Amino acid sequence: MPSPLRKDEAHKLIDTLPADATWDDLMEQIYVRQAIENGLRDSEQGKLQSVQEIRQKYGLPE
């Protein structure tokens, strides 16, 4: 069962979406938020990758 804190967060997130938002819009916001939280946690733990490493990993130009 979700914690009351998670439910409150979900309600706040829903309240920020436009009236014509879809389920996909909500899920995108949730995934973006999770990615940011995970990135911040990694950063705090010193788990960082350089821009060059990311570009090489995904085949992006320098």
Side-chain angles (χ1 to χ4, degrees):
M1 174 180 261
S3 71
L5 181 59
R6 286 285 184 191
K7 285 184 178 181
D8 289 343
E9 290 176 11
H11 284 284
K12 288 177 187 175
L13 182 58
I14 291 169
D15 290 342
T16 64
L17 294 172
D20 62 345
T22 65
W23 178 256
D24 290 337
D25 295 329
L26 174 60
M27 294 308 296
E28 179 181 0
Q29 289 298 312
I30 290 170
Y31 291 137
V32 166
R33 183 177 178 149
Q34 286 176 337
I36 291 170
E37 288 174 355
N38 290 341
L40 289 172
R41 192 175 316 114
D42 286 349
S43 177
E44 289 169 354
Q45 295 174 356
K47 298 177 183 174
L48 304 174
Q49 291 183 322
S50 70
V51 172
Q52 291 80 14
E53 290 173 319
I54 299 296
R55 287 183 175 167
Q56 185 178 34
K57 180 177 180 179
Y58 294 103
L60 301 172
E62 290 290 323

